[in-house]
Amino acid sequence: MKANSSTQQKKTGADTIQRLMAFGALIILFVVFSLASPYFFTLSNVIGILVSTAVNGLLAIGVTFIIISGGIDLSVGTVMTLSAVMAAVTVRNWGMPNIFGVLAAVLTGTFAGAVNGLMVSKLKLPPFIATLGMLNVARGLSLVITDLSPIYFPLETGWNRIAMGSVLGTIIPGFDIPNGVLIMFGSALVAGLILSKTVIGRYAFAIGSNEEAARLSGLNIVLWKTAIYAVGGLFVGIGGVIIAARLNSAQPALGLGYELDAIAAAVIGGVSLSGGEGNILGTIIGAFIISTLTNGLRILSVPQEWQIVVTGLIILSAVYLDILRKKASAN
Amino acid sequence: MKSKKMLIIASVLMILAMLAACAPAAETPTTVDEPAVEETLYIPVISKGFQHAFWLAVKAGAERAAADYGVEITFEGPESEAMVDKQMDMLQAAIDKDPAAICFAAVDSQAAIPLLEQAQAKGIPVIGFDSGVDSDIPLATAATDNVAAAALAADKMVELIGGSGEVAVIAHDNTSRTGIDRVAGFKDRIESTYPDVTIVDIQYGGGDHLRSTDLAKAIIQGNPDLKGFFGANEGSIIGVLNAVSELGRDDIVVIGYDSGQQQLEAIRSGQQAGAITQDPIGIGYKCVEAAVKAVRGETLPKFIDTGFHWFDATNIDDPDIAALLYE
Amino acid sequence: MNDTLVLMEGIDKRFPGVQALKGCQFNLQRGEVHALVGENGAGKSTLMKILAGIYQVDGGTITFKGEQVTIPNPHTAQTMGISMVHQELNLMSHLTAAQNIFIGREPTKSFLIDENTQNNKTKEIFELMNLNLDPTMRVSKMTVAKQQMVEIAKALSFNADVLIFDEPSGALTDVETAELFRIIRQLKAEGTGIIYITHRMEELKEISDRITVLRDGLYVNTVNTRETSINEIINMMVGRVIYESSPEIPEERSQEIVLEVKNLSRGNELKDVSFQLMKGEILGFAGLIGAGRTETARAIFGADPVDSGEVFINGKPVHIKRPSDAVAHDIAYLSEDRKRYGLCLSLDLKTNIVLPIYQKLSSVLGWVKDKRAYTISKNIVDQLSIRTPSLEQKAKNLSGGNQQKVVVGKWLAKDADILIFDEPTRGIDVGAKQEIYSLLNELAAQGKSIIMISSELPEIIRMSHRVIVMCEGRVTGNLDYSEATQENIMKFATMRNGGNAKKSAQPS
């Protein structure tokens, strides 16, 4: 017993180290790139990194909820697109104020998530298949609704400013962090609280850890899974708002392949694909590692094909680290 | 425990080693502290793709111009033409590098405008190429006159089907300039000049081989009397070729656009009647050339026509044509 | 002539942070059954896993049939003639019994797997074991007990000289255990050396010739079974004297019916199951594996659907369609398979304990009151004396006994009135068993009503106020404390009259 408890402390120590590790890796990336190029650590480029993380960060938050509950969501990319399309339809075609556009996007994401959740919990479809179906349904609907061409937001609506304007810049002059970035951080904070402090978060962990035990503990699995997928979808919907604002348009063909970046961010951040483990901070750091790496290699003018190779290696290393950590805590 | 930590650290070191290995190779184009009298100009070229043979030819032309004018370039593009935001990230990073000029072919012009304005504000000249940018910001655009090129394809098509009958079109999209212009050029010429020819269908396959194949098959099966098929870019025409051979309809006159190995072989074997070739090498060359001239303060024409040509089995190996084709 | 099959001397084994074995010794003779006992964590399984090639020694020597050997992997051990039946099941659930038994050494006919030969050979082994099981049945469709029998069959199929059984009877009923003992005696007579790890003291006398005791990774002693009393062995195991308290069954007990089940039926598994549970009562459920005891419990709890039947709680009819309904009626079910059905292993103790009551512990927006959760779980941990360094300890890092207490604690926190314990002491060491027993008594004294399903007859007899005996999905006996003897229970547990009729009706 005594020996046990002391190894236990070591283990929690190793856990923390691993968590710091991801953050440390991000810092090291920053330092290395800053030393390698004078153009990397400039306000404009750092803001560029933040902006390019915003969308993937939000999708990764969404997918984190679902992976922790033991599922997977392949539909985040195209559901994001569908959310953007619904926002554009509301604002441009129906001429409603921006706030309704935001609501339309968020509701679309949440609804798609809830449908995913119901398919998984009520109809017992494997998450991979259910969300693969949703991926195509959302993608197809986006193309149908837009009649294949992008919908542009009229400039006078100021939709673009939702993500690209800077409220912070007007308060602190010169500190022009775009709103989209703040929205991502805000969402991450809320998501972190939901995951760690509310019943829905606890149940996501419990279901992901052992669904049958959770069911026998009296949890209504259909209800809670649906809720978990819906919450994930909500953040995907916010992602839809951000991408629509960034591009000032809803691009119906976009979104395919984005789910893999989101899953990669979550995995790099320590979310276990077998469920029951993970946190939002890790996921956000994971998203930043991906975008920082892409940006840094770009700034260093590394040939594009090598950028892809390096990103792949980073994902593999992150997963391998996770396995090492698991091994360490199993002994 | 200790060995585990060592492993973790080793993996991180491995990642860093990768980066370090990449960094020096990468720095060559951006070397600023060389004791040269004149600073080497750096011009990033951001295209709509990077894996496609067409873009590789554009890249080759751009590199040739870079060598001729003694400038450094990088060539980048998103993995698919749908990834508007990824191209924005590339453009942003390019602007952050404070280049001498930027060559840019927008996937979505509207989305790029705020960033292009940023470049303009920083005094970075922007040169459009290929589909260019729908805006006044680029000082010049080096591109094929797609409307005229597609009209030539229409003329050839009518000639080859014998002056009347049904034809169909598969294009990559109806959002980019090239997609819109090629479809319009083909369609307008048929409608205005050849009343006996009807276009039964125009579909968009995103330039994806497989999707274009499926679309083309569906069109052929839905229109058994179809006499001719125009594919408006390389991906589209490969789809048409696949469809024709899978359905055994060698009687259909197939006309394509651009080159690429598969299309060249089809033309040599007679499966495909011919194609319009742009001059991708010329596009790449002329846009970098224009960028250099812009940096030097020379005045540029707003539109730089890079030319197009009809080619078929008879002239495919002519040196003038062969130079424009790529595999 | 030397009859020593295995001689292990000075065995050391370290795991990160733990010295699992220190200078242990063990020897096995031809034709003997050598029991290996000790509390959980004493190092029994580790020592045997070294012999079976699963772990490598850090120090010491192994001599097999007079030659010093190293056993680098399980495959070598098997080819040498050492075979092990593991405590945890190591079967591939999507494969059939025969496919599992011959995995890695399938009989082939012109490069194709010869399923017929494989099935026939398996059938022979099953017949030797007196086991009525179809070799082509998928393991996932079998109960835990039957899976255990498949594991044993697999070990037998190697024709090994040394057979190691790591708590084989854990999942078996008394009848099945008797069958296992018969096979062991048969093998012993043929000269096989058998090592038998167990927690069940009563089995030692029945089956073993010699007993080796380990404690905290150290070798304690090897004794002849005939010359040693169970109490002496227990003393060696725990290093202290344990007093087995006799059950305190109240003479007068409440006649208030808390739970009444009427004619619960589902297919062949449950047939008109009816019984009553009184307030403050421990109702034992006895029967062979597959008698329908677990099925009854799960049906009451809403974990599995039923075809027909009624359930009354405090005299009122209730409709329980899913576990959440049962929990709402203050019914708790503690599964026989804690790890699979009872715990979220990768989550901490606190979360596991308050899992059923999170919704009560949260505000309108679903905000969890963590302090309350902490206090509640702290109380439970103290009340049940769960040994853990902290409330943040992950459930998977607790010992079996403590894990069981966490599952119990979960339902104490929920304040359930009706507790269904399914094999509450399976895989738990002697000391922890005592604690679980006194806990059950305490709960009953507090007025909780308990259903205890157990395959260990002594446990049933000791603990229960009344005993329900089931056989093939039917309730065959309802015995009062005074009538509940081993003989009586076994009589009802094997009352298969309904079963025979069914068998003839079934196409073979």
Side-chain angles (χ1 to χ4, degrees):
Chain A
M1 248 323 164
K2 266 180 208 160
N4 250 342
S5 63
S6 75
T7 46
Q8 206 42 52
Q9 274 157 8
K10 271 188 206 159
K11 258 172 251 162
T12 37
D15 245 33
T16 331
I17 287 173
Q18 206 273 344
R19 214 159 283 154
L20 290 175
M21 212 86 191
F23 191 65
L26 184 58
I27 301 289
I28 292 171
L29 280 179
F30 257 85
V31 171
V32 170
F33 285 132
S34 301
L35 292 177
S37 167
Y39 303 117
F40 180 77
F41 203 71
T42 59
L43 184 61
S44 163
N45 192 52
V46 171
I47 289 178
I49 294 175
L50 289 170
V51 170
S52 67
T53 313
V55 167
N56 189 33
L58 281 160
L59 298 190
I61 292 172
V63 92
T64 296
F65 276 91
I66 287 141
I67 298 179
I68 285 178
S69 77
I72 191 80
D73 192 346
L74 300 180
S75 69
V76 290
T78 59
V79 167
M80 167 195 80
T81 304
L82 184 60
S83 303
V85 166
M86 291 314 293
V89 167
T90 311
V91 172
R92 199 200 64 176
N93 297 15
W94 300 341
M96 292 168 84
N98 283 350
I99 181 71
F100 288 99
V102 172
L103 266 173
V106 171
L107 285 179
T108 304
T110 311
F111 178 74
V115 171
N116 277 335
L118 279 173
M119 286 195 288
V120 170
S121 60
K122 188 90 187 170
L123 307 183
K124 309 245 184 305
L125 297 182
F128 191 93
I129 301 301
T131 59
L132 185 64
M134 179 57 81
L135 176 154
N136 285 303
V137 170
R139 183 171 149 77
L141 282 178
S142 299
L143 292 169
V144 169
I145 294 170
T146 58
D147 201 12
L148 304 176
S149 29
I151 304 179
Y152 295 96
F153 290 87
L155 280 177
E156 64 271 16
T157 61
W159 176 265
N160 183 257
R161 295 196 51 77
I162 293 175
M164 302 311 286
S166 178
V167 173
L168 200 64
T170 56
I171 301 169
I172 316 165
F175 212 64
D176 295 325
I177 308 273
N179 297 341
V181 175
L182 300 184
I183 291 173
M184 179 198 66
F185 281 123
S187 301
L189 195 68
V190 172
L193 289 176
I194 293 177
L195 201 54
S196 63
K197 295 288 177 197
T198 69
V199 173
I200 202 167
R202 279 323 143 83
Y203 286 173
F205 279 105
I207 292 171
S209 174
N210 188 342
E211 181 170 341
E212 191 59 17
R215 188 171 86 102
L216 294 178
S217 296
L219 269 57
N220 186 336
I221 301 288
V222 172
L223 172 76
W224 289 109
K225 265 200 178 172
T226 306
I228 291 162
Y229 276 80
V231 169
L234 186 146
F235 290 102
V236 172
I238 299 177
V241 173
I242 301 298
I243 198 153
R246 181 167 182 212
L247 303 177
N248 200 38
S249 59
Q251 301 278 345
L254 185 131
L256 216 55
Y258 287 45
E259 67 281 352
L260 298 181
D261 275 350
I263 294 169
V267 167
I268 290 175
V271 178
S272 161
L273 278 180
S274 46
E277 272 178 82
N279 62 74
I280 296 293
L281 180 64
T283 294
I284 291 295
I285 291 174
F288 270 107
I289 286 179
I290 292 180
S291 55
T292 304
L293 196 70
T294 317
N295 175 279
L297 295 176
R298 215 168 257 161
I299 290 283
L300 293 183
S301 306
V302 172
Q304 196 166 2
E305 45 279 24
W306 282 105
Q307 297 177 13
I308 301 172
V309 173
V310 174
T311 311
L313 290 176
I314 292 286
I315 293 172
L316 294 178
S317 321
V319 177
Y320 184 57
L321 279 181
D322 191 46
I323 290 170
L324 286 185
R325 188 174 57 105
K326 286 239 179 68
K327 258 194 202 159
S329 73
N331 281 337
Chain B
M1 224 32 151
K2 223 173 201 174
S3 65
K4 297 274 154 57
K5 273 184 201 160
M6 290 301 288
L7 264 175
I8 292 173
I9 290 162
S11 339
V12 171
L13 284 178
M14 187 200 78
I15 296 163
L16 292 178
M18 282 291 309
L19 300 179
C22 293
E27 262 180 57
T28 13
T30 54
T31 24
V32 270
D33 30 35
E34 245 176 53
V37 186
E38 199 181 323
E39 202 174 83
T40 313
L41 295 179
Y42 168 57
I43 301 167
V45 181
I46 296 169
S47 83
K48 290 159 65 175
F50 79 104
Q51 297 148 307
H52 207 286
F54 179 81
W55 298 114
L56 292 177
V58 173
K59 185 180 178 185
E63 280 167 351
R64 198 182 294 167
D68 288 355
Y69 287 93
V71 297
E72 300 293 347
I73 62 154
T74 51
F75 191 95
E76 278 190 294
E79 277 156 70
S80 102
E81 292 193 15
M83 294 180 164
V84 188
D85 62 326
K86 301 274 150 103
Q87 199 194 31
M88 294 304 99
D89 289 345
M90 290 174 180
L91 184 56
Q92 174 76 60
I95 294 169
D96 288 341
K97 283 196 267 186
D98 262 336
I102 292 176
C103 295
F104 184 61
V107 172
D108 185 292
S109 295
Q110 278 218 27
I113 285 171
L115 284 177
L116 293 177
E117 283 169 353
Q118 200 181 320
Q120 201 177 27
K122 284 178 85 174
I124 304 168
V126 176
I127 306 295
F129 68 95
D130 187 55
S131 54
V133 188
D134 249 350
S135 140
D136 290 334
I137 295 170
L139 301 176
T141 298
T144 313
D145 184 347
N146 280 298
V147 176
L152 176 61
D155 291 339
K156 292 285 179 185
M157 175 69 83
V158 173
E159 184 188 319
L160 289 166
I161 61 170
S164 67
E166 294 181 349
V167 297
V169 179
I170 287 208
H172 39 298
D173 59 51
N174 61 350
T175 53
S176 72
R177 201 66 258 162
T178 58
I180 295 167
D181 285 351
R182 288 177 199 171
V183 169
F186 188 87
K187 188 168 162 244
D188 292 350
R189 178 61 62 95
I190 296 279
E191 283 173 357
S192 63
T193 319
Y194 306 108
D196 292 339
V197 177
T198 42
I199 300 176
V200 292
D201 208 344
I202 300 174
Q203 292 280 350
Y204 302 92
D208 180 276
H209 296 183
L210 197 62
R211 269 177 63 206
S212 303
T213 305
D214 292 341
L215 282 174
K217 276 170 86 169
I219 292 173
I220 294 172
Q221 276 166 334
N223 301 281
D225 295 331
L226 196 73
K227 285 167 96 175
F229 220 131
F230 174 52
N233 81 341
E234 193 191 332
S236 304
I237 192 62
I238 288 172
V240 172
L241 287 172
N242 288 343
V244 166
S245 66
E246 280 175 32
L247 294 172
R249 288 288 306 271
D250 288 338
D251 56 306
I252 293 178
V253 174
V254 178
I255 289 178
Y257 214 103
D258 297 336
S259 37
Q261 191 177 8
Q262 213 172 329
Q263 194 170 195
L264 297 184
E265 276 169 14
I267 290 174
R268 284 205 175 91
S269 74
Q271 190 194 7
Q272 182 175 336
I276 300 291
T277 178
Q278 312 182 64
D279 186 350
I281 297 168
I283 292 173
Y285 192 92
K286 290 202 170 147
C287 77
V288 172
E289 184 184 56
V292 173
K293 286 183 177 165
V295 175
R296 291 183 185 157
E298 294 175 32
T299 3
L300 295 164
K302 204 72 187 161
F303 185 81
I304 303 167
D305 185 4
T306 52
F308 58 86
H309 305 272
W310 165 260
F311 72 102
D312 54 23
T314 60
N315 66 348
I316 191 166
D317 292 319
D318 288 359
D320 290 352
I321 295 291
L324 304 179
L325 304 178
Y326 54 88
E327 291 213 324
Chain C
M1 115 171 207
N2 188 359
D3 268 355
T4 303
L5 268 173
V6 176
L7 183 63
M8 301 174 84
E9 286 174 309
I11 302 291
D12 285 337
K13 178 69 195 170
R14 278 179 297 276
F15 291 118
V18 193
Q19 177 93 37
L21 292 173
K22 201 171 180 185
C24 278
Q25 51 171 294
F26 182 81
N27 74 73
L28 179 69
Q29 308 290 318
R30 221 173 255 288
E32 78 161 340
V33 177
H34 193 144
L36 189 56
V37 298
E39 284 198 301
N40 278 355
K44 312 174 296 266
S45 293
T46 308
L47 186 65
M48 286 306 112
K49 281 180 178 170
I50 286 171
L51 186 58
I54 296 162
Y55 295 147
Q56 303 307 307
V57 288
D58 293 325
T61 57
I62 305 171
T63 314
F64 181 67
K65 292 183 180 168
E67 278 173 51
Q68 192 170 325
V69 291
T70 52
I71 308 172
N73 54 50
H75 182 73
T76 312
Q78 281 164 357
T79 41
M80 282 166 66
I82 300 172
S83 203
M84 180 159 178
V85 180
H86 292 277
Q87 186 178 8
E88 317 86 53
L89 298 167
N90 289 306
L91 298 172
M92 284 138 282
S93 52
H94 289 88
L95 302 185
T96 67
Q99 284 164 351
N100 266 288
I101 288 172
F102 285 99
I103 191 85
R105 52 196 173 106
E106 292 82 357
T108 53
K109 205 157 63 182
S110 49
F111 300 109
L112 297 174
I113 294 177
D114 185 357
E115 295 274 358
N116 272 339
T117 313
Q118 187 169 296
N119 289 338
N120 288 338
K121 281 187 177 173
T122 305
K123 191 88 195 153
E124 282 168 27
I125 301 168
F126 283 168
E127 273 164 12
L128 172 84
M129 294 168 68
N130 256 350
L131 183 63
N132 185 17
L133 197 59
D134 181 358
T136 61
M137 189 176 189
R138 274 190 182 201
V139 165
S140 57
K141 297 227 168 110
M142 298 177 186
T143 59
V144 178
K146 295 218 171 95
Q147 293 181 8
Q148 182 78 65
M149 295 307 266
V150 172
E151 279 274 13
I152 293 169
K154 183 175 174 181
L156 291 180
S157 70
F158 283 98
N159 296 320
D161 293 322
V162 175
L163 255 179
I164 306 163
F165 291 94
D166 191 355
E167 291 197 54
S169 61
L172 305 184
T173 61
D174 288 7
V175 173
E176 286 158 325
T177 307
E179 204 51 58
L180 173 66
F181 286 175
R182 191 188 60 74
I183 298 165
I184 287 180
R185 286 191 195 102
Q186 189 179 325
L187 292 166
K188 175 178 141 181
E190 290 164 10
T192 312
I194 288 151
I195 304 167
Y196 195 89
I197 301 177
T198 187
H199 276 313
R200 295 189 181 175
M201 292 303 120
E202 63 276 13
E203 288 180 348
L204 291 178
K205 283 281 177 193
E206 200 180 338
I207 192 72
S208 73
D209 301 308
R210 289 194 299 158
I211 300 170
T212 290
V213 183
L214 299 182
R215 189 174 67 230
D216 297 334
L218 297 169
Y219 170 80
V220 178
N221 203 355
T222 299
V223 295
N224 283 326
T225 309
R226 231 171 298 157
E227 298 153 9
T228 320
S229 79
I230 293 291
N231 271 337
E232 284 173 84
I233 292 164
I234 291 177
N235 289 347
M236 282 192 269
M237 278 168 60
V238 297
R240 59 180 192 271
V241 184
I242 279 193
Y243 300 97
E244 285 218 1
S245 58
S246 52
E248 297 156 26
I249 308 283
E251 288 295 311
E252 293 290 318
R253 59 174 191 270
S254 154
Q255 290 302 309
E256 193 185 332
I257 299 168
V258 177
L259 172 76
E260 180 163 17
V261 173
K262 280 188 185 165
N263 304 322
L264 218 53
S265 296
R266 180 181 62 234
N268 277 333
E269 288 175 311
L270 296 175
K271 290 167 218 154
D272 286 333
V273 173
S274 303
F275 67 91
Q276 298 173 333
L277 176 67
M278 318 292 177
K279 190 173 167 65
E281 178 183 50
I282 298 179
L283 181 62
F285 260 66
L288 305 180
I289 298 283
R293 297 167 301 164
T294 298
E295 288 78 358
T296 304
R298 287 179 61 95
I300 295 170
F301 193 61
D304 296 323
V306 287
D307 297 340
S308 61
E310 292 168 290
V311 175
F312 299 84
I313 291 173
N314 296 323
K316 287 181 203 124
V318 292
H319 295 284
I320 295 173
K321 283 188 184 143
R322 56 181 75 88
S324 50
D325 299 340
V327 173
H329 285 107
D330 289 327
I331 304 178
Y333 172 64
L334 294 85
S335 165
E336 55 180 326
D337 195 339
R338 291 186 285 281
K339 291 189 181 174
R340 207 157 124 206
Y341 299 122
L343 290 168
C344 294
L345 289 172
S346 64
L347 302 187
D348 62 22
L349 206 64
K350 185 183 70 187
T351 307
N352 270 294
I353 289 176
V354 294
L355 192 55
I357 54 165
Y358 259 124
Q359 271 163 282
K360 273 194 203 158
L361 287 179
S362 63
S363 59
V364 198
L365 276 172
W367 201 265
V368 175
K369 296 167 186 154
D370 257 328
K371 273 196 189 135
R372 283 266 291 142
Y374 187 88
T375 323
I376 289 171
S377 43
K378 178 88 181 110
N379 282 341
I380 298 284
V381 165
D382 291 345
Q383 189 186 339
L384 300 180
S385 48
I386 297 173
R387 281 185 287 272
T388 172
S390 80
L391 290 178
E392 275 74 40
Q393 176 80 315
K394 289 195 174 159
K396 65 180 164 201
N397 295 323
L398 295 174
S399 72
N402 281 313
Q403 284 182 342
Q404 182 65 296
K405 286 188 196 166
V406 172
V407 181
V408 176
K410 183 161 95 172
W411 296 111
L412 290 188
K414 174 72 179 82
D415 203 18
D417 291 332
I418 300 167
L419 295 137
I420 308 174
F421 286 84
D422 199 345
E423 305 284 359
T425 61
R426 172 172 295 166
I428 289 178
D429 62 41
V430 185
K433 266 187 190 179
Q434 289 300 335
E435 291 184 50
I436 298 281
Y437 293 153
S438 44
L439 180 67
L440 289 181
N441 282 329
E442 208 176 292
L443 290 171
Q446 284 168 18
K448 310 271 185 201
S449 310
I450 293 169
I451 292 174
M452 184 187 77
I453 300 171
S454 174
S455 294
E456 288 186 52
L457 284 185
E459 184 172 287
I460 288 270
I461 292 164
R462 223 189 105 196
M463 296 297 302
S464 314
H465 298 117
R466 264 189 321 136
V467 179
I468 299 283
V469 190
M470 289 188 72
C471 178
E472 292 180 343
R474 290 165 303 127
V475 172
T476 49
N478 181 348
L479 308 171
D480 207 57
Y481 169 56
S482 50
E483 310 162 298
T485 60
Q486 293 229 9
E487 295 72 27
N488 254 337
I489 292 174
M490 286 313 294
K491 189 181 83 193
F492 287 109
T494 51
M495 209 177 246
R496 303 176 188 252
N497 43 2
N500 290 339
K502 187 192 67 183
K503 233 175 220 169
S504 57
Q506 257 181 354
S508 55

